[in-house]
Amino acid sequence: MNSIFIDKLNGIKTSRPPVWFMRQAGRILPSYQKLKESYSFREMMDNKQLAAKVTLLPISDLGVDAAILFSDILIIPESMGMKLEFTENGPKFHNAIMDMNNKFSPDLSKLNHVYNNIEEVKKISSTPLIGFCGGPLTTFLFMFRGNENDKSFKSALKFFYSNQKESLKIIEQITEISIEYVKKQIDSGIDCFQLFETYCGIIPSEMYKKIILPFSKKILNASKEKNTPSIFFPKNFNDGLKYIDSSVCDFVSIDWNLSLDYARSIVDDEVGIQGNMDPRVFYSSRKEIDKYLKTLINFGENNQDWIFNLGHGFIPDIDYKKVIHVVDWIKETDWNR
Ligand code: CP3
């Protein structure tokens, strides 16, 4: 496979940073919005032809260097027996964790459609494919969400702080299932695995390091064991990034709270950096976007171990033409390498 993204993951020097975006598959593309008029999110996720098509839309429409599987992190709790609905306002569980007495009935065959979708993508395209799952803390938090409008995770955090032992038992179960899930994604054909710990920063970074990071590491190591590169996205981990070394992951994806240079200075040398454009910059004019892009040249010149990405996923109402402009700029710029 001739791919700048795969070369980068393998530590090979490239003339520019590879580029892909978190949440590039759903959200901003008119071609995706058009499909949404005919199919629900669930229908697209469950049908391998549709899921493969949506996965590959950003390759043709944006020109990115890698595809991310069209799926969602919450199908892990669903495979544990929770009843998941994607409503207009976001996901919710009809039997949130409090209603289950923490008794799960895992049926991992509920994840089989994901493996079929991966095989379908690999059958029709040679583009590198990123598989993923949710970080153990992020998944745990959502499992308490019985109301899609609850964005604060109040009941999850109350349970976590008042009943840590029981919380860790649940997190351990999430971890075991996630490990199985990663391995099967790899067997089905993914080229890289990313762990989305979007709510890492909801607890103090020392606390995350001490009690959750060992679980995240286990999931990421499942990828390492199968010789598949891993990317960890611990959003808002801040100075906790100093705990990220090659025993955790191959690349760490950073948000916009730290500069690329500062993140580089605290992350272990053997780990590459991914990130960290603030997606809200896409609301500004092309002139402002170009000003931001120019600030990256120095970092890109001096850091081979860097994948361009966002600091978090796209916001739905941005103009995708500005995204194409950014991808073209990255490809056409002379990075002095
Ligand atoms: O690029 C991609 O879109 C790839 C697929 C992908 C989805 N969700 C599709 C999706 C990925 C990688 C995710 C990850 C995800 N899901 C995270 C972690 C990353 C992040 O953005 O923070 C989280 C926290 C979730 C949980 C989730 N799923 C939420 C909060 C929502 C509602 C808001 C939204 O649109 O993101 C979802 C639904 C969801 N997941 C949709 C899509 C395309 C929208 C469903 C719809 O169109 O009805």
Side-chain angles (χ1 to χ4, degrees):
M1 189 192 298
N2 186 6
S3 152
I4 189 170
F5 179 72
I6 299 290
D7 282 352
K8 193 83 293 166
L9 295 172
N10 289 327
I12 295 172
K13 286 192 173 161
T14 55
S15 59
R16 63 165 174 90
V19 49
W20 71 279
F21 300 97
M22 286 190 271
R23 308 305 303 276
Q24 66 185 17
R27 283 199 174 164
I28 62 157
L29 293 179
S31 50
Y32 173 72
Q33 299 306 339
K34 187 125 208 303
L35 280 170
K36 272 228 77 178
E37 286 169 17
S38 312
Y39 307 100
S40 69
F41 175 53
R42 179 72 78 171
E43 282 169 323
M44 286 192 261
M45 204 165 53
D46 286 352
N47 173 306
K48 68 177 181 183
Q49 275 85 18
L50 283 171
K53 188 181 164 123
V54 178
T55 300
L56 294 168
L57 287 177
I59 305 297
S60 52
D61 294 8
L62 300 174
V64 288
D65 298 311
I68 178 158
L69 186 69
F70 187 68
S71 182
D72 195 79
I73 64 166
L74 298 180
I75 63 174
I76 287 284
E78 189 171 52
S79 77
M80 293 166 81
M82 299 188 70
K83 292 191 184 67
L84 171 64
E85 184 192 350
F86 292 99
T87 76
E88 286 283 293
N89 294 319
K92 78 169 193 180
F93 288 102
H94 287 281
N95 53 349
I97 232 164
M98 321 55 108
D99 309 324
M100 300 188 76
N101 280 327
N102 313 338
K103 297 263 180 303
F104 302 106
S105 44
D107 173 5
L108 297 196
S109 70
K110 285 185 183 155
L111 300 168
N112 285 349
H113 68 281
V114 175
Y115 314 131
N116 295 335
N117 295 351
I118 293 171
E119 283 170 10
E120 183 67 17
V121 175
K122 296 310 288 185
K123 203 167 88 188
I124 59 178
S125 165
S126 61
T127 300
L129 178 63
I130 302 164
F132 67 90
C133 79
L137 179 62
T138 303
T139 306
F140 171 85
L141 293 173
F142 271 99
M143 285 165 80
F144 287 78
R145 203 204 235 185
N147 174 349
E148 66 275 30
N149 297 313
D150 171 17
K151 313 276 182 204
S152 67
F153 299 111
K154 184 170 175 266
S155 45
L157 288 165
K158 188 171 171 190
F159 187 87
F160 183 73
Y161 276 85
S162 60
N163 202 341
Q164 206 173 93
K165 210 168 146 204
E166 198 58 32
S167 296
L168 291 182
K169 266 196 212 154
I170 298 168
I171 286 172
E172 191 167 2
Q173 290 179 74
I174 297 168
T175 303
E176 292 309 317
I177 292 174
S178 301
I179 288 172
E180 207 42 49
Y181 185 49
V182 176
K183 288 186 175 163
K184 288 218 170 125
Q185 287 190 45
I186 293 170
D187 291 342
S188 309
I190 60 163
D191 302 287
C192 172
F193 167 73
Q194 176 159 320
L195 190 67
F196 281 86
E197 191 66 293
T198 308
Y199 291 91
C200 177
I202 209 163
I203 59 173
S205 53
E206 290 303 319
M207 188 176 184
Y208 187 89
K209 185 237 169 188
K210 194 160 165 247
I211 63 177
I212 310 286
L213 189 59
F215 293 103
S216 308
K217 204 169 146 174
K218 273 195 189 171
I219 302 172
L220 289 155
N221 283 351
S223 182
K224 197 197 254 318
E225 270 171 35
K226 283 190 165 273
N227 294 320
T228 301
S230 59
I231 306 175
F232 184 31
F233 174 52
K235 186 163 184 277
N236 291 342
F237 201 19
N238 294 326
D239 279 310
L241 290 176
K242 64 177 181 262
Y243 299 121
I244 306 294
D245 62 24
S246 60
S247 73
V248 179
C249 57
D250 298 303
F251 273 72
V252 63
S253 199
I254 62 163
D255 57 81
W256 53 80
N257 284 312
L258 301 181
S259 70
L260 288 169
D261 281 308
Y262 182 67
R264 179 67 281 170
S265 74
I266 60 171
V267 171
D268 186 272
D269 282 349
E270 284 180 29
V271 176
I273 300 276
Q274 177 177 272
N276 70 342
M277 179 177 179
D278 175 354
R280 292 159 299 191
V281 173
F282 283 112
Y283 286 138
S284 60
S285 66
R286 286 203 182 201
K287 213 169 140 197
E288 288 299 318
I289 293 174
D290 285 346
K291 240 198 243 170
Y292 162 73
L293 291 171
K294 285 202 184 93
T295 67
L296 300 171
I297 293 180
N298 191 39
F299 184 82
E301 182 177 346
N302 297 310
N303 291 278
Q304 272 286 344
D305 261 5
W306 173 44
I307 298 168
F308 182 91
N309 205 311
L310 304 173
H312 191 190
F314 279 127
I315 303 161
D317 62 349
I318 60 144
D319 176 3
Y320 83 107
K321 293 202 194 73
K322 290 180 179 169
V323 180
I324 296 177
H325 172 68
V326 168
V327 174
D328 287 346
W329 184 90
I330 290 165
K331 290 183 175 173
E332 287 156 15
T333 291
D334 179 358
W335 293 88
N336 303 318
R337 289 178 170 181

Short mmCIF file of all heavy atoms in Angstrom, two decimals, residues 277 281 284-298 325-326 329:
data_model
loop_
_atom_site.label_atom_id
_atom_site.label_comp_id
_atom_site.label_asym_id
_atom_site.label_seq_id
_atom_site.Cartn_x
_atom_site.Cartn_y
_atom_site.Cartn_z
N MET A 277 -5.70 21.49 15.31
CA MET A 277 -6.42 22.68 14.86
C MET A 277 -7.76 22.81 15.60
O MET A 277 -8.52 21.85 15.72
CB MET A 277 -6.68 22.56 13.35
CG MET A 277 -7.44 23.74 12.78
SD MET A 277 -7.62 23.57 10.97
CE MET A 277 -8.56 25.06 10.64
N VAL A 281 -11.95 27.47 14.06
CA VAL A 281 -11.23 28.35 13.12
C VAL A 281 -11.90 28.30 11.74
O VAL A 281 -11.82 29.26 10.97
CB VAL A 281 -9.72 27.97 13.06
CG1 VAL A 281 -9.00 28.74 11.96
CG2 VAL A 281 -9.05 28.22 14.40
N SER A 284 -13.96 31.22 10.67
CA SER A 284 -13.34 32.50 10.28
C SER A 284 -13.07 32.53 8.77
O SER A 284 -13.27 31.55 8.06
CB SER A 284 -12.08 32.75 11.11
OG SER A 284 -11.16 31.72 10.90
N SER A 285 -12.61 33.69 8.30
CA SER A 285 -12.42 33.87 6.85
C SER A 285 -11.22 33.07 6.35
O SER A 285 -10.38 32.64 7.14
CB SER A 285 -12.17 35.35 6.57
OG SER A 285 -10.93 35.72 7.16
N ARG A 286 -11.15 32.88 5.05
CA ARG A 286 -10.00 32.16 4.48
C ARG A 286 -8.69 32.85 4.83
O ARG A 286 -7.67 32.19 5.02
CB ARG A 286 -10.13 32.08 2.96
CG ARG A 286 -11.17 31.08 2.58
CD ARG A 286 -10.94 30.58 1.18
NE ARG A 286 -12.02 29.65 0.87
CZ ARG A 286 -11.98 28.74 -0.06
NH1 ARG A 286 -10.92 28.63 -0.81
NH2 ARG A 286 -12.99 27.94 -0.26
N LYS A 287 -8.76 34.18 4.88
CA LYS A 287 -7.54 34.93 5.21
C LYS A 287 -7.06 34.56 6.62
O LYS A 287 -5.88 34.31 6.85
CB LYS A 287 -7.87 36.43 5.15
CG LYS A 287 -6.70 37.26 4.68
CD LYS A 287 -7.13 38.69 4.38
CE LYS A 287 -6.04 39.62 4.88
NZ LYS A 287 -6.50 40.99 5.02
N GLU A 288 -8.01 34.49 7.54
CA GLU A 288 -7.66 34.11 8.93
C GLU A 288 -7.18 32.66 8.98
O GLU A 288 -6.25 32.33 9.72
CB GLU A 288 -8.88 34.28 9.85
CG GLU A 288 -9.26 35.72 10.15
CD GLU A 288 -8.15 36.49 10.85
OE1 GLU A 288 -7.50 35.94 11.75
OE2 GLU A 288 -7.90 37.66 10.45
N ILE A 289 -7.83 31.81 8.22
CA ILE A 289 -7.43 30.39 8.19
C ILE A 289 -5.99 30.27 7.67
O ILE A 289 -5.16 29.57 8.25
CB ILE A 289 -8.41 29.55 7.32
CG1 ILE A 289 -9.78 29.51 7.99
CG2 ILE A 289 -7.88 28.12 7.12
CD1 ILE A 289 -10.88 28.84 7.17
N ASP A 290 -5.70 31.03 6.60
CA ASP A 290 -4.33 30.99 6.04
C ASP A 290 -3.30 31.49 7.05
O ASP A 290 -2.19 30.96 7.14
CB ASP A 290 -4.25 31.82 4.75
CG ASP A 290 -4.91 31.08 3.60
OD1 ASP A 290 -5.17 29.87 3.74
OD2 ASP A 290 -5.16 31.72 2.55
N LYS A 291 -3.71 32.50 7.82
CA LYS A 291 -2.80 33.04 8.85
C LYS A 291 -2.46 31.94 9.86
O LYS A 291 -1.32 31.74 10.25
CB LYS A 291 -3.49 34.20 9.60
CG LYS A 291 -2.77 35.53 9.48
CD LYS A 291 -3.25 36.46 10.56
CE LYS A 291 -3.94 37.67 9.96
NZ LYS A 291 -4.62 38.49 10.96
N TYR A 292 -3.51 31.20 10.27
CA TYR A 292 -3.30 30.09 11.21
C TYR A 292 -2.39 29.04 10.59
O TYR A 292 -1.43 28.57 11.21
CB TYR A 292 -4.65 29.47 11.62
CG TYR A 292 -4.48 28.10 12.22
CD1 TYR A 292 -3.95 27.95 13.51
CD2 TYR A 292 -4.76 26.93 11.50
CE1 TYR A 292 -3.74 26.69 14.05
CE2 TYR A 292 -4.55 25.68 12.03
CZ TYR A 292 -4.03 25.56 13.31
OH TYR A 292 -3.80 24.32 13.84
N LEU A 293 -2.68 28.67 9.34
CA LEU A 293 -1.90 27.60 8.69
C LEU A 293 -0.41 27.96 8.64
O LEU A 293 0.45 27.11 8.87
CB LEU A 293 -2.44 27.31 7.29
CG LEU A 293 -3.83 26.65 7.25
CD1 LEU A 293 -4.37 26.60 5.82
CD2 LEU A 293 -3.79 25.24 7.84
N LYS A 294 -0.13 29.23 8.35
CA LYS A 294 1.28 29.64 8.23
C LYS A 294 2.04 29.43 9.54
O LYS A 294 3.24 29.18 9.54
CB LYS A 294 1.37 31.10 7.77
CG LYS A 294 1.05 31.25 6.31
CD LYS A 294 1.63 32.53 5.71
CE LYS A 294 1.20 32.67 4.26
NZ LYS A 294 -0.04 33.48 4.10
N THR A 295 1.31 29.51 10.66
CA THR A 295 1.99 29.32 11.96
C THR A 295 2.47 27.87 12.13
O THR A 295 3.24 27.57 13.03
CB THR A 295 1.08 29.67 13.17
OG1 THR A 295 0.01 28.70 13.22
CG2 THR A 295 0.49 31.07 13.08
N LEU A 296 1.98 26.96 11.27
CA LEU A 296 2.33 25.54 11.43
C LEU A 296 3.63 25.16 10.73
O LEU A 296 4.20 24.10 11.01
CB LEU A 296 1.21 24.66 10.85
CG LEU A 296 -0.17 24.82 11.48
CD1 LEU A 296 -1.20 24.05 10.66
CD2 LEU A 296 -0.16 24.30 12.93
N ILE A 297 4.07 26.03 9.79
CA ILE A 297 5.20 25.62 8.95
C ILE A 297 6.45 25.29 9.76
O ILE A 297 7.11 24.28 9.54
CB ILE A 297 5.49 26.69 7.88
CG1 ILE A 297 4.30 26.72 6.91
CG2 ILE A 297 6.78 26.37 7.11
CD1 ILE A 297 4.42 27.72 5.79
N ASN A 298 6.72 26.13 10.74
CA ASN A 298 7.92 25.91 11.54
C ASN A 298 7.88 24.57 12.28
O ASN A 298 8.83 23.80 12.26
CB ASN A 298 8.05 27.08 12.54
CG ASN A 298 9.39 27.06 13.22
OD1 ASN A 298 10.41 26.76 12.58
ND2 ASN A 298 9.40 27.35 14.51
N HIS A 325 -9.83 23.47 1.21
CA HIS A 325 -8.75 24.45 1.08
C HIS A 325 -7.59 24.10 2.02
O HIS A 325 -6.42 24.15 1.62
CB HIS A 325 -9.31 25.84 1.41
CG HIS A 325 -8.27 26.90 1.51
ND1 HIS A 325 -7.54 27.33 0.42
CD2 HIS A 325 -7.80 27.60 2.59
CE1 HIS A 325 -6.66 28.25 0.82
NE2 HIS A 325 -6.80 28.44 2.12
N VAL A 326 -7.90 23.71 3.25
CA VAL A 326 -6.85 23.35 4.22
C VAL A 326 -6.09 22.10 3.76
O VAL A 326 -4.86 22.06 3.80
CB VAL A 326 -7.44 23.17 5.64
CG1 VAL A 326 -6.44 22.53 6.58
CG2 VAL A 326 -7.91 24.52 6.19
N TRP A 329 -3.88 23.03 0.93
CA TRP A 329 -2.75 23.83 1.42
C TRP A 329 -1.67 22.93 2.03
O TRP A 329 -0.48 23.10 1.75
CB TRP A 329 -3.25 24.86 2.45
CG TRP A 329 -2.17 25.79 2.92
CD1 TRP A 329 -1.82 27.00 2.38
CD2 TRP A 329 -1.28 25.58 4.03
NE1 TRP A 329 -0.77 27.54 3.08
CE2 TRP A 329 -0.42 26.70 4.09
CE3 TRP A 329 -1.12 24.56 4.97
CZ2 TRP A 329 0.57 26.83 5.06
CZ3 TRP A 329 -0.13 24.68 5.93
CH2 TRP A 329 0.71 25.80 5.97
#
